[in-house]
Amino acid sequence: MTAPVRFPRFFVTSPAPCPYLPGRNERKVFTELKGANADELNDALSRIGFRRSQTVAYRPSCIDCSACISVRVVTNEFQPSSTQKRIWKRNRDLVASVCKPWSTPEQFELLQRYLAVRHPGGGMAAMDEMDFADMVEHTPVKSYVIEYREPTTDGSQGRLVGACLTDEQGDGLSMIYSFYDPQHETRSGLGTFIILDHIQRAAHVGLPYVYLGYWVEGSERMQYKVRFRPMEKLGRDGWERFEPAAQAVAIERAVSARHAHAGDNGRPAIEGGLKDGVHGAQERYAHS
């Protein structure tokens, strides 16, 4: 006699201020990822718009808003823009290493510098080293950290300039959280380069998608995601191709917003980094 299938139990958080759109409230539905079938459950939930935060899978369930749209890049058809080609050429000498999901002081120091410049006062700004270790190491699914280091002439380990916590799923790579040196002296576009590298990695092993999380039109810090083509977005009838003309309009808006909010050094004040979750989410879900 086979054991009965255990279906996950879903819960809903209490309304809280939306981190993306001012004046709105957010609500999330979530479930716990655990047990021998955690990978399969995570795969299935990601296909219907869920994201992972440690041992929790969640997705927006707002009463009067549907602005958060799950998006994924189609890897085997990806066509980089001229800007993306320049960013790739500028940074392709970086040495990328796939590491076990184990946090290091070097990663945490880079994260702190990233948050201080890109997201000062944000939900993750108060993270300490233990919080960071929880974010990286508390995973019930196949995960790893991809580190990006500058090359050296003697073969030693170079300077860490970027990192991404990534889940490997049955149909793609899901970028959980990326961060990088926001004030590098000679490199720019590191956030974009990390996404480009994931697209190439996924295509190389035959994975059709790279999941970028939620695109929120009207939220400045989420606009970078729409610049990767072709892209699919999740609607009421399932995944559908982002119509080229509509995506072109969205890209134009994203570029305009990027230039309008450029910092003193000419770089955009916000380049993005897969910020779907916030520090403290695990505790919030646990007490909902």
Side-chain angles (χ1 to χ4, degrees), residues 52 97-108 129-139 141-147 149 160 163-166 179:
R52 184 182 70 83
S97 301
V98 178
C99 310
K100 292 182 178 180
W102 191 258
S103 64
T104 68
E106 188 181 22
Q107 293 170 3
F108 180 63
E129 200 160 355
M130 186 63 70
D131 295 324
F132 175 66
D134 287 343
M135 183 180 81
V136 173
E137 299 169 15
H138 285 188
T139 171
V141 301
K142 185 176 183 180
S143 304
Y144 39 76
V145 175
I146 302 180
E147 293 185 340
R149 296 180 178 274
L160 182 69
C164 185
L165 175 61
T166 303
F179 51 97

Side-chain angles (χ1 to χ4, degrees), residues 84 215-228 231 242 246-262 268-272:
Q84 290 165 347
W215 170 58
V216 187
E217 190 168 15
S219 174
E220 178 194 343
R221 61 181 170 142
M222 288 299 197
Q223 295 313 300
Y224 70 95
K225 297 182 181 184
V226 80
R227 300 201 300 265
F228 298 85
M231 175 172 283
F242 206 137
Q247 188 171 2
V249 171
I251 291 173
E252 180 63 29
R253 286 198 294 264
V255 171
S256 297
R258 181 171 180 254
H259 290 313
H261 294 85
I270 297 175
E271 187 181 332

Side-chain angles (χ1 to χ4, degrees), residues 193-210:
F193 175 80
I194 292 173
I195 297 176
L196 294 173
D197 179 68
H198 276 70
I199 294 171
Q200 186 179 83
R201 286 174 180 274
H204 181 70
V205 297
L207 294 174
Y209 305 111
V210 169

Side-chain angles (χ1 to χ4, degrees), residues 55 88 122 142 169 173 179 183 194 197 212 224 275 283:
T55 60
W88 177 263
K142 185 176 183 180
Q169 301 175 174
L173 299 179
F179 51 97
Q183 295 178 311
I194 292 173
D197 179 68
L212 298 184
Y224 70 95
K275 308 302 174 275
E283 290 75 15

Side-chain angles (χ1 to χ4, degrees), residues 6-7 14 17-18 46 58 67 69 79 86 127 144 151 154 179 187 189 196 202 217-218 227 232 235 264 268 277:
R6 179 186 176 274
F7 290 96
S14 300
C18 176
S46 73
Y58 69 91
I69 300 174
Q79 294 293 325
R86 289 194 296 270
M127 286 182 73
Y144 39 76
D154 60 1
F179 51 97
R187 297 181 187 272
L196 294 173
E217 190 168 15
R227 300 201 300 265
E232 292 183 353
D264 293 337

